[in-house]
Amino acid sequence: MKSEFDIMIVGGGVVGAALACALKDSGLSIALLDAQSPAIFDPNAEVDLRVFALSYASRRIMQAVGAWETVAAARVSPYREMQVWDAGGKGSIHFDSADVGEPELGYIVENSLLQHALWKQLEGKSQVTLLHPAKPEALTLEDEGASLVLDQGRRLKARLVVAADGAASTTRALAGIGVVSESYGQRAVVAHVQTERPHQATAWQRFLATGPLAFLPLADGRVSVVWSAEEAEAERILALDDAGFCAALTRASEGRLGEVRSTTRRAAFPLQRLRAEQYVRGRFALVGDAAHAVHPLAGQGVNLVLLDAAALAEVISDAHTIGRDIGDLGVLRRYERWRKGDNLAMIFALDGFKRLFSNDIAPLVTLRTAGLRAVDGFTPLKHAFVRRAMGLSGDLPLLAR
Ligand SMILES: Cc1cc2nc3c(=O)[nH]c(=O)nc-3n(C[C@H](O)[C@H](O)[C@H](O)COP(=O)(O)OP(=O)(O)OC[C@H]3O[C@@H](n4cnc5c(N)ncnc54)[C@H](O)[C@@H]3O)c2cc1C
């Protein structure tokens, strides 16, 4: 079996698989390995509890790598509007795709479907070797190349190793790259629920002092709930029986969609802020949650990771086209300069939002109300926000344009 590659990608989640797809026809040989076999998508099974709000830019990336058709043919829920309001004050804001001349603001898609659609593109590709289940146990980065020893004892060599193995990345640790991380002391409780009134292809978000509550529209008419709450509150929410949970959700959402009538099982994820000290070393790069994790309050996590994948793919392809070494630190620094600033800005902005809205001190509530009203009432600023969140502005990689 082949043991030498141009690129080894560790982690075949959304970012690792998207990177492999973006490079599958570049002429470079790629190994994509994951500790688990890829998600099997069953259109008759219950909707995955981990759903994402994909931006326009993310859809373009999925389209450019050939995976969007599979997603669209399965189940995707476009949303046209977004309603955000503050539980502590009177501020609210309404975004409409028509304001920026687009048919929709974004798409609610399941994690397992995204991953499935991406892996499907890689099957049978002669330049791509898929290895699963496989985990790295040792990593050596040298001027001439990198080598990775897998848990089954197999040794693989490559010119470049990419860590895409999520926020708790083992590969990042093996490369000796540190992180600055902090728990938000919150968990996101997720479930899919049936509401009395239809969701109107709208993403709803209410900022409560204990954390934001989002209702994301699903294709089957239900809404997907992401309810971020302090640890003790999350425990309390999880311990409620179904009727109690539905009643608590109806209250927390102020009954915007009427009564919450039924729910699926619930799950909860701890929330943290994380940033890697560096994104690159010679022969090594970090992408996705391995490089940064953000609060889910604006649903930007997966959009950032797809932009990472597209930017790194572009940097690698450009270097390969002009005959440069793709593992060279100078080449990889272009990717770091490109993505690190954008990702940091988002981490700090979301952090600021989280702090601003988790406080009921009167001057802050007044400031929030004034801020939300100002943005809502000032069309150019509001449009700029929408365009940025949709990924229609900024320094975008080619695959996202
Ligand atoms: C509760 C919650 C809600 C969220 N909601 C949203 C949202 O609404 N919108 C949004 O945009 N984002 C959201 N996110 C963020 C989003 O899930 C992540 O940003 C995104 O999935 C990161 O993708 P990734 O491929 O980097 O990592 P992951 O999805 O974590 O994938 C990592 C992959 O690496 C593999 N792996 C792990 N360890 C190893 C190893 N040692 N060896 C080999 N393989 C390994 C795993 O099996 C997995 O396939 C949410 C996150 C949470 C926790």
Side-chain angles (χ1 to χ4, degrees):
M1 217 193 254
K2 197 169 152 91
S3 62
E4 286 202 35
F5 303 91
D6 291 313
I7 307 169
M8 247 180 313
I9 304 171
V10 183
V14 171
V15 69
L19 178 65
C21 282
L23 292 169
K24 67 184 185 305
D25 300 314
S26 62
L28 293 161
S29 60
I30 300 161
L32 176 67
L33 56 111
D34 200 290
Q36 293 173 10
S37 296
I40 296 169
F41 179 75
D42 174 0
N44 299 312
E46 177 53 281
V47 176
D48 188 352
L49 282 179
R50 194 164 167 190
V51 299
F52 302 132
L54 278 198
S55 67
Y56 241 63
S58 294
R59 191 205 69 189
R60 284 192 189 137
I61 294 170
M62 289 293 291
Q63 239 163 357
V65 302
W68 184 250
E69 227 171 81
T70 307
V71 172
R75 48 189 183 205
V76 57
S77 177
Y79 62 97
R80 289 190 304 274
E81 294 176 50
M82 193 168 179
Q83 289 278 4
V84 180
W85 74 108
D86 181 7
K90 292 196 169 64
S92 66
I93 191 160
H94 170 237
F95 298 109
D96 191 328
S97 59
D99 292 345
V100 285
E102 298 291 346
E104 52 254 337
L105 284 178
Y107 313 84
I108 306 298
V109 186
E110 296 153 73
N111 180 52
S112 54
L113 174 55
L114 278 186
Q115 201 191 3
H116 161 79
L118 290 163
W119 275 74
K120 205 172 150 200
Q121 290 300 308
L122 302 170
E123 283 162 10
K125 281 274 161 193
S126 59
Q127 288 294 93
V128 182
T129 303
L130 302 172
L131 296 164
H132 54 85
K135 283 184 191 175
E137 289 209 323
L139 171 70
T140 314
L141 302 171
E142 286 169 340
D143 288 349
E144 317 75 63
S147 70
L148 205 60
V149 179
L150 302 186
D151 48 352
Q152 314 96 328
R154 206 170 144 196
R155 180 180 290 272
L156 305 177
K157 290 186 172 176
R159 291 200 282 151
L160 170 66
V161 172
V162 179
D165 47 352
S169 171
T170 312
T171 321
R172 181 185 63 215
L174 290 174
I177 295 184
V179 292
V180 180
S181 71
E182 195 190 331
S183 163
Y184 278 114
Q186 287 191 332
R187 278 198 276 166
V189 177
V190 292
H192 303 319
V193 303
Q194 185 70 55
T195 53
E196 188 183 353
R197 288 200 289 273
H199 53 55
Q200 303 146 55
T202 301
W204 306 82
Q205 176 137 304
R206 185 176 188 221
F207 280 100
L208 297 144
T210 46
L213 167 67
F215 275 10
L216 307 173
L218 292 177
D220 61 13
R222 292 180 298 168
V223 298
S224 182
V225 174
V226 184
W227 191 352
S228 307
E230 310 293 330
E231 288 286 351
E233 173 72 355
E235 273 304 318
R236 195 191 63 75
I237 295 168
L238 286 167
L240 293 169
D241 61 15
D242 283 1
F245 177 62
C246 290
L249 267 179
T250 304
R251 280 193 302 277
S253 61
E254 285 187 314
R256 283 283 169 117
L257 297 180
E259 255 178 51
V260 176
R261 291 191 159 152
S262 61
T263 180
T264 59
R265 71 178 180 89
R266 277 154 268 165
F269 304 88
L271 301 181
Q272 64 170 336
R273 174 181 63 175
L274 176 147
R275 61 192 155 95
E277 281 161 359
Q278 297 118 39
Y279 281 17
V280 297
R281 289 187 52 186
R283 312 235 160 260
F284 187 81
L286 292 173
V287 278
D289 278 15
H292 49 80
V294 298
H295 196 287
L297 70 84
Q300 285 302 315
V302 86
N303 298 315
L304 294 182
V305 311
L306 281 170
L307 286 173
D308 283 355
L312 183 57
E314 190 170 324
V315 166
I316 292 171
S317 296
D318 288 353
H320 178 57
T321 307
I322 56 169
R324 280 192 74 181
D325 179 354
I326 57 166
D328 180 71
L329 185 58
V331 166
L332 298 171
R333 281 241 162 92
R334 184 179 153 218
Y335 156 70
E336 182 177 63
R337 281 194 303 273
W338 193 351
R339 293 300 308 149
K340 203 173 176 189
D342 258 18
N343 289 332
L344 275 180
M346 185 62 83
I347 291 173
F348 289 125
L350 295 180
D351 217 38
F353 266 117
K354 198 237 151 220
R355 283 171 207 275
L356 183 65
F357 281 94
S358 55
N359 211 313
D360 271 344
I361 301 169
L364 275 183
V365 175
T366 311
L367 181 73
R368 285 193 323 239
T369 305
L372 286 170
R373 282 183 178 161
V375 176
D376 200 42
F378 185 51
T379 309
L381 188 59
K382 191 162 134 177
H383 289 182
F385 265 112
V386 180
R387 294 185 66 76
R388 188 74 195 191
M390 290 172 77
L392 295 172
S393 61
D395 185 8
L396 296 171
L398 277 175
L399 289 178
R401 279 188 229 150

